[in-house]
Amino acid sequence: MNPADRLLTVEEAAERLGTGVRFIRRLVSERRIRYVKLGKHVRIADSVLTAYIEERTVEPVRGRRAGYGLVV
């Protein structure tokens, strides 16, 4: 986490990922994403969300499709 990183609320993080608040809270409760605890408040660094997106980005398969949808 970069010290100059902006800390987002759960609501802002959900908006950035295009998901619901419930999904972000589940990520936090299952400790599948790094977060900062400030008293009872949870904040997620912008760089953490960027890393989360990059780790889960699936690259397209390059190649010609053969019969039955198999990639050669």
Side-chain angles (χ1 to χ4, degrees), residues 13-66:
E15 186 177 326
R16 170 126 193 270
L17 291 181
T19 65
V21 172
R22 215 170 147 184
F23 176 72
I24 301 297
R25 292 199 187 280
R26 190 172 76 230
L27 291 177
V28 168
S29 71
E30 294 174 358
R31 296 182 186 242
R32 292 172 42 202
I33 195 167
R34 291 178 55 195
Y35 62 94
V36 177
K37 187 86 169 163
L38 302 170
K40 66 178 185 173
H41 303 286
V42 171
R43 299 289 184 261
I44 302 167
D46 194 38
S47 63
V48 170
L49 290 179
T50 301
Y52 183 82
I53 292 167
E54 288 174 4
E55 289 169 4
R56 283 154 184 80
T57 299
V58 178
E59 296 297 326
V61 176
R62 303 286 180 190
R64 207 179 93 202
R65 290 195 173 266

